[in-house]
Amino acid sequence: MTLDTGWTRAIASGFTPDAAAVRDHLETVHRVHAGFTESCAARCVDAEGRDSYDWLADVIDYDATASILDLACGSGVLLERLAGRNADVRLTGVDMSADELALARRRLGPDRVALHHGLAQDLGFLADGSIDGVLCHWALTLMDPVAPVLAEVARVLKPRGVFAAIVDGPMDIAPGYSAVNDLISNHVRRAYPRYGDVDLGDARIRDTTELHHLLCDVFPGAHVRIESNVVSATAAPEALAREASSFFYSAFLLTEGARTNLLIDLAALFSEQGAFASFHMPINRVLVAR
């Protein structure tokens, strides 16, 4: 059985999915596979041993920060890391997925963090200029439309506030990533021939130059920096195939049988490295400092 969402129906019918179809798709993926982001991201680390959550959390000056918003907080991993770095900082999380928020509540307890169920395009529960730092771990790429999200971030940030996000990085900096991406895309196109013609989210977030221009437009006068990094995981080919495929939303589109075939082919690709193989994922860290 494959996922039946507004996005998959639009793609299969030859239509371009609208924002509602994208939201329906993302909510469905996170309902059926709640917690999958942390299961793969927390096991991939960079050359200094940091996973993407810690690399993002590193941008905060905890001595000068009283409040942080985790935008699209998911199952609460980043919030947990932030709480561990400063017990006094006021933490808030928002996510569109009730299922992910349920995991976050179990992880964080009822009192440590204020969690809100809603969209990043509407942060009406926060006052203007009320937040020192806004962080977003690997979700900005998927938000549609993204302009209202950035406008809301600009609204709630204090005059000297910081906005930072982890997004997809340039494929050519991660050895072997393009081969993995192409293999998975080819499998998905067998089920959805139009897959790849239409991406989830705003394509500008995936292009470093366009993203820089977009952020400069939304945050005039701010210092904007985009840094690239590579996080990697090592395991036996079969295990690594399961782990690596979880980074790709497209893999969740496949039926059980088609996904099994994908994992077989992906494991064969990793087997070319030997009994243990590595998967390398390119990421960018966006930093906007007012």
Side-chain angles (χ1 to χ4, degrees):
M1 179 178 182
T2 189
L3 289 179
D4 179 26
T5 71
W7 191 85
T8 60
R9 289 193 295 272
I11 292 295
S13 302
F15 298 108
T16 299
D18 59 13
V22 173
R23 289 196 296 270
D24 178 55
H25 183 68
L26 295 175
E27 286 181 332
T28 302
V29 170
H30 284 276
R31 182 176 67 251
V32 177
H33 304 283
F36 80 88
T37 303
E38 66 173 279
S39 68
C40 50
R43 290 197 292 268
C44 285
V45 298
D46 66 9
E48 297 183 27
R50 303 167 299 188
D51 64 18
S52 50
Y53 295 107
D54 281 333
W55 195 44
L56 180 58
D58 283 348
V59 306
I60 296 295
D61 178 357
Y62 293 92
D63 292 332
T65 299
S67 57
I68 301 175
L69 169 67
D70 185 356
L71 200 62
C73 64
S75 57
V77 177
L78 180 60
L79 288 167
E80 184 178 47
R81 305 280 181 93
L82 296 170
R85 294 189 180 210
N86 186 336
D88 297 322
V89 68
R90 186 175 77 252
L91 297 175
T92 303
V94 60
D95 202 279
M96 68 187 298
S97 169
D99 300 273
E100 295 284 3
L101 285 173
L103 294 178
R105 290 190 181 94
R106 287 200 289 271
R107 165 178 269 119
L108 301 165
D111 303 320
R112 181 63 185 89
V113 179
L115 295 173
H116 296 264
H117 183 210
L119 298 175
Q121 288 87 354
D122 181 8
L123 303 177
F125 59 90
L126 293 171
D128 294 1
S130 60
I131 299 293
D132 292 301
V134 177
L135 302 181
C136 184
H137 181 269
W138 237 327
L140 196 66
T141 311
L142 303 167
M143 293 177 180
D144 185 18
V146 75
V149 176
L150 297 175
E152 279 290 80
V153 171
R155 179 184 67 80
V156 304
L157 268 185
K158 291 182 179 179
R160 296 187 180 275
V162 171
F163 169 55
I166 296 293
V167 299
D168 297 352
M171 289 196 289
D172 58 358
I173 69 171
Y177 179 81
S178 292
V180 173
N181 180 73
D182 291 347
L183 187 153
I184 292 175
S185 295
N186 288 337
H187 273 266
V188 175
R189 284 195 189 97
R190 295 171 193 169
Y192 297 92
R194 288 190 66 231
Y195 174 77
D197 296 338
V198 179
D199 256 328
L200 288 170
D202 192 313
R204 290 176 294 178
I205 306 300
R206 296 180 173 89
D207 184 288
T208 302
T209 300
E210 291 194 22
L211 175 57
H212 192 278
H213 290 324
L214 175 62
L215 293 171
C216 288
D217 288 343
V218 177
F219 300 92
H223 176 67
V224 177
R225 186 168 76 244
I226 301 176
E227 305 165 294
S228 295
N229 199 355
V230 175
V231 290
S232 306
T234 299
E238 293 78 9
L240 190 61
R242 291 191 297 271
E243 188 166 317
S245 66
S246 296
F247 274 101
F248 296 82
Y249 269 79
S250 57
F252 295 112
L253 298 174
L254 300 175
T255 63
E256 184 176 347
R259 184 174 173 83
T260 297
N261 291 332
L262 163 63
L263 294 178
I264 290 171
D265 287 349
L266 192 53
L269 177 65
F270 287 136
S271 293
E272 295 175 5
Q273 300 181 37
F276 283 88
S278 295
F279 167 66
H280 307 286
M281 180 79 183
I283 60 176
N284 276 344
R285 182 174 67 180
V286 176
L287 177 61
V288 178
R290 282 183 157 175

